[in-house]
Amino acid sequence: MLGVREKLSYGMGDFASAFTWASLSLYLMYFYTDVFGISPALVGTLFLVTRLWDAITDPAVGLMADRTRTRFGRLRPYLLFFSLPLGAMLALTFTTPALSENGRIIYAFATYIALMGLYTLVNIPYSALPVSMTTDNDERRQLTNYRMLLSYIAFVLISYGTLPLVDFLGNGDEQRGFALTYAVYGVITFVVFLLTFKGVRERYVEGDSASNPLKSFAHIGRARPFWIMFATSILIFTLMLMPDSAAIYFFKYYLGEASSVSLFLAMGYASMVAGVIFNQLVMRRFCKRRVMIGANLAYGVALASFFVAADHGPAFYFAAFMAAKFINGIIAPTMWAMVGDIADYVEYKSGRRATGTTTSAVTFSQKFGMSIGGLLTGVLFSTYGYTPNASQSETVLVLIKSMMSVLPAVGAFGVAVLMLIYPLGDRRMAEIRTAKPTAA
């Protein structure tokens, strides 16, 4: 049985990851367009190009993790050796160099691609750890909940503290403020990942990994549940998380109250923390698949209501956003628990363990979806005439409000439909875990 200290140590890894992931979700688009000074269309192109790089690095890291053998285990060494470079690159990504326009564009591409490569080297092995830490389904669920809980606590801190910290450290200079703020965040990333490395243990690493990398991906490619989860992840990270990056534009341009966005986001993520806690009660009583169907339908309704609430004052749009984020707190840990199910399913069907490879494939779909969301935002902004740091047209204002509501609601309803055909319910997974080659 895993102790509370080890579960907490594992969860701290996603607290550290959040300093990169939350920053990409909440502030990177704004930083590039309004602070760094490059066009929305170019930012969208940057996000897409980086995902093409991820198509190589994600599976490569997954394969490396499955074949790593050290005295520290298979997965933990990646946290030890790559967390410092990750923290340093996070700081550099949010730094604006004194270069020409073309020089800044090259710098943006180089630092962002390097950041995502280092994030992959740390986060894919981290995400695969629960399968190596325990074979107990309930304990894996608990690890996922610890992970999500601490992740969204970090999101609360980052969403509430980043812009005030930028203002304080920059003394009115946003470029300087972002650079100094993310230097602090880089140090936190490194230190907290070291705590995770020291606090967790890999107990189940004896599985027979496929000797041929192509076979590993062939086994995954034949798994129908994987492709459903792949499509689910793309919808979630393309559309459902769009309000996170759109919020700063909504407050700055639609409401004209940019200073209020930190409180808005922090209250939303505090609601997600409550949702993650509530998820523990829900998952004890209901199948993961059913939870995903019901929660995504409710999430879509809450998001759609924001479109109307936005014009009826703070009490209404704060309530709609907090309700949506509470439900999102139920969805997120459920989805991550299902990733472990897919790894077990692939092992059951193929006879070979490929946890890192499976995790990398799902993680790639999430980052690919996030890049499509960024590209979509950039294309929409460019098409409808968004101009940084200027008054926006009525068309752009409606677009921003739709990015907070209608567009992500479509994604949520799409996920609910996909879950209707997802075949791995909890009862079926119990049978699979008993029958797979490395069953305890």
XYZ file of all heavy atoms in Angstrom, residues 148-186:
303
model
N -3.870 15.741 -9.761
C -4.741 16.800 -10.236
C -4.968 17.870 -9.172
O -5.009 19.078 -9.460
C -6.089 16.209 -10.671
C -6.017 15.318 -11.891
S -5.583 16.201 -13.428
C -3.851 15.763 -13.596
N -5.115 17.447 -7.926
C -5.351 18.389 -6.837
C -4.190 19.378 -6.721
O -4.393 20.598 -6.683
C -5.535 17.622 -5.525
C -5.830 18.463 -4.271
C -7.134 19.220 -4.423
C -5.862 17.567 -3.042
N -2.968 18.846 -6.690
C -1.813 19.724 -6.534
C -1.548 20.533 -7.803
O -1.090 21.676 -7.737
C -0.592 18.896 -6.154
C -0.636 18.421 -4.694
C 0.340 17.292 -4.433
C -0.344 19.576 -3.755
N -1.874 19.961 -8.953
C -1.732 20.700 -10.191
C -2.608 21.939 -10.185
O -2.163 23.052 -10.511
C -2.098 19.814 -11.390
O -2.088 20.560 -12.585
N -3.864 21.770 -9.780
C -4.775 22.913 -9.840
C -4.594 23.876 -8.678
O -4.967 25.051 -8.784
C -6.209 22.416 -9.991
C -6.413 21.789 -11.349
C -6.827 20.469 -11.483
C -6.115 22.500 -12.505
C -6.957 19.886 -12.739
C -6.247 21.929 -13.757
C -6.666 20.628 -13.863
O -6.792 20.058 -15.111
N -3.999 23.415 -7.592
C -3.561 24.365 -6.566
C -2.486 25.277 -7.166
O -2.492 26.500 -6.966
C -3.045 23.631 -5.322
C -4.216 22.997 -4.568
C -2.278 24.591 -4.400
C -3.795 22.132 -3.397
N -1.562 24.671 -7.927
C -0.551 25.478 -8.618
C -1.203 26.420 -9.624
O -0.802 27.585 -9.752
C 0.460 24.568 -9.318
N -2.227 25.926 -10.347
C -2.933 26.792 -11.293
C -3.547 27.996 -10.577
O -3.540 29.117 -11.107
C -4.027 26.000 -12.013
C -3.617 25.438 -13.351
C -2.815 24.309 -13.428
C -4.037 26.023 -14.519
C -2.439 23.779 -14.653
C -3.671 25.500 -15.756
C -2.868 24.378 -15.825
N -4.112 27.781 -9.384
C -4.672 28.896 -8.616
C -3.590 29.933 -8.327
O -3.772 31.142 -8.533
C -5.304 28.400 -7.300
C -5.712 29.594 -6.416
C -6.532 27.539 -7.579
N -2.447 29.456 -7.832
C -1.348 30.359 -7.495
C -0.827 31.095 -8.720
O -0.584 32.313 -8.687
C -0.216 29.574 -6.833
C -0.552 28.878 -5.502
C 0.638 28.041 -5.029
C -0.934 29.898 -4.442
N -0.659 30.368 -9.823
C -0.108 30.969 -11.041
C -1.097 31.950 -11.658
O -0.720 33.045 -12.095
C 0.281 29.862 -12.034
C 1.430 29.017 -11.465
C 0.687 30.451 -13.389
C 1.614 27.685 -12.147
N -2.361 31.557 -11.713
C -3.358 32.433 -12.333
C -3.569 33.708 -11.524
O -3.756 34.791 -12.079
C -4.693 31.689 -12.503
O -5.204 31.272 -11.248
N -3.520 33.590 -10.196
C -3.743 34.764 -9.351
C -2.483 35.618 -9.205
O -2.554 36.848 -9.132
C -4.224 34.340 -7.963
C -4.642 35.504 -7.095
C -5.815 36.217 -7.377
C -3.874 35.912 -6.011
C -6.209 37.294 -6.594
C -4.262 36.986 -5.219
C -5.420 37.669 -5.524
O -5.804 38.746 -4.748
N -1.313 34.959 -9.172
C -0.100 35.684 -8.830
C 0.745 36.181 -9.982
O 1.548 37.101 -9.805
N 0.585 35.600 -11.185
C 1.528 35.911 -12.261
C 1.491 37.371 -12.687
O 2.520 38.063 -12.686
C 1.282 34.998 -13.474
O 1.532 33.646 -13.096
C 2.209 35.375 -14.627
N 0.335 37.887 -13.063
C 0.274 39.262 -13.561
C 0.636 40.282 -12.486
O 1.375 41.246 -12.780
C -1.096 39.540 -14.171
C -1.418 38.727 -15.440
C -2.783 39.118 -15.987
C -0.350 38.921 -16.508
N 0.153 40.138 -11.230
C 0.643 41.058 -10.190
C 2.151 40.967 -9.980
O 2.811 41.982 -9.752
C -0.123 40.598 -8.937
C -1.376 39.999 -9.468
C -0.960 39.308 -10.743
N 2.704 39.743 -10.057
C 4.152 39.588 -9.901
C 4.896 40.224 -11.073
O 5.955 40.853 -10.880
C 4.490 38.106 -9.789
C 5.893 37.730 -9.294
C 6.169 38.336 -7.925
C 6.054 36.210 -9.236
N 4.356 40.067 -12.283
C 4.946 40.722 -13.458
C 4.965 42.229 -13.265
O 5.968 42.914 -13.545
C 4.163 40.345 -14.738
C 4.530 41.267 -15.907
C 4.422 38.897 -15.114
N 3.868 42.771 -12.771
C 3.779 44.218 -12.552
C 4.753 44.674 -11.469
O 5.428 45.703 -11.603
C 2.347 44.585 -12.170
C 2.151 46.089 -12.058
O 2.383 46.789 -13.062
O 1.788 46.571 -10.968
N 4.847 43.889 -10.391
C 5.729 44.250 -9.277
C 7.202 44.171 -9.673
O 7.976 45.115 -9.455
C 5.447 43.336 -8.089
C 6.399 43.523 -6.934
C 6.308 44.632 -6.109
C 7.393 42.581 -6.683
C 7.186 44.808 -5.049
C 8.281 42.747 -5.633
C 8.173 43.863 -4.821
N 7.607 43.044 -10.269
C 9.018 42.863 -10.619
C 9.431 43.724 -11.810
O 10.588 44.157 -11.900
C 9.296 41.392 -10.920
C 9.149 40.427 -9.742
C 9.382 38.983 -10.189
C 10.124 40.782 -8.627
N 8.489 43.971 -12.700
C 8.812 44.775 -13.875
C 8.640 46.254 -13.660
O 9.083 47.063 -14.485
N 7.966 46.632 -12.582
C 7.723 48.056 -12.282
C 7.121 48.774 -13.493
O 7.556 49.866 -13.881
C 9.024 48.732 -11.847
C 8.777 50.088 -11.186
O 7.708 50.323 -10.622
N 9.760 50.969 -11.254
N 6.121 48.127 -14.099
C 5.457 48.704 -15.262
C 6.007 48.250 -16.595
O 5.398 48.488 -17.635
N 7.156 47.576 -16.610
C 7.754 47.049 -17.838
C 7.400 45.562 -17.942
O 7.988 44.723 -17.263
C 9.278 47.242 -17.787
C 9.990 46.767 -19.054
O 9.372 46.012 -19.840
O 11.160 47.121 -19.252
N 6.428 45.242 -18.816
C 5.953 43.863 -18.892
C 7.033 42.906 -19.370
O 7.108 41.762 -18.915
C 4.731 43.773 -19.824
C 3.422 44.152 -19.162
C 2.232 43.710 -19.977
O 2.120 44.150 -21.138
O 1.399 42.926 -19.470
N 7.878 43.335 -20.282
C 8.931 42.444 -20.770
C 9.874 42.051 -19.631
O 10.200 40.874 -19.456
C 9.707 43.116 -21.903
C 8.903 43.278 -23.188
C 9.725 43.850 -24.328
O 10.855 44.316 -24.143
N 9.162 43.842 -25.531
N 10.311 43.010 -18.865
C 11.190 42.727 -17.722
C 10.455 41.914 -16.665
O 10.998 40.970 -16.086
C 11.699 44.035 -17.134
C 12.665 43.866 -15.951
C 13.252 45.216 -15.551
N 14.235 45.062 -14.491
C 13.965 45.109 -13.195
N 12.718 45.317 -12.786
N 14.926 44.955 -12.294
N 9.196 42.264 -16.424
C 8.411 41.572 -15.408
C 8.210 40.105 -15.716
O 8.355 39.243 -14.846
N 7.879 39.781 -16.977
C 7.709 38.378 -17.361
C 9.022 37.616 -17.223
O 9.042 36.472 -16.760
C 7.179 38.278 -18.801
C 5.685 38.216 -18.893
C 4.944 39.341 -19.210
C 5.008 37.022 -18.650
C 3.547 39.293 -19.300
C 3.619 36.948 -18.734
C 2.890 38.097 -19.056
N 10.129 38.225 -17.638
C 11.417 37.544 -17.559
C 11.772 37.201 -16.115
O 12.194 36.080 -15.814
C 12.507 38.424 -18.183
N 11.608 38.139 -15.201
C 11.959 37.897 -13.799
C 10.987 36.931 -13.137
O 11.381 36.068 -12.346
C 11.985 39.228 -13.034
C 13.106 40.197 -13.439
C 12.961 41.525 -12.692
C 14.475 39.584 -13.171
N 9.705 37.063 -13.448
C 8.705 36.153 -12.877
C 9.002 34.714 -13.270
O 8.959 33.797 -12.432
C 7.294 36.548 -13.356
O 6.985 37.859 -12.856
C 6.248 35.548 -12.869
N 9.340 34.500 -14.524
C 9.567 33.124 -14.972
C 10.936 32.596 -14.585
O 11.147 31.376 -14.585
C 9.265 33.011 -16.473
C 7.777 32.830 -16.638
C 6.934 33.933 -16.761
C 7.201 31.578 -16.537
C 5.558 33.778 -16.832
C 5.835 31.405 -16.610
C 5.021 32.508 -16.750
O 3.658 32.341 -16.797
N 11.840 33.477 -14.217
C 13.072 32.996 -13.591
C 12.747 32.372 -12.231
O 13.270 31.314 -11.874
C 14.056 34.153 -13.423
N 11.860 33.011 -11.487
C 11.401 32.458 -10.202
C 10.674 31.138 -10.428
O 10.920 30.136 -9.739
C 10.479 33.461 -9.476
C 9.873 32.833 -8.217
C 11.248 34.728 -9.115
N 9.781 31.099 -11.409
C 9.014 29.881 -11.696
C 9.944 28.738 -12.129
O 9.682 27.563 -11.836
C 7.988 30.151 -12.795
C 6.790 30.962 -12.362
C 5.791 31.315 -13.262
C 6.648 31.403 -11.039
C 4.681 32.061 -12.876
C 5.552 32.156 -10.649
C 4.570 32.482 -11.572
O 3.483 33.218 -11.187
N 11.012 29.049 -12.841
C 11.950 28.020 -13.257
C 12.633 27.360 -12.078
O 12.817 26.134 -12.053
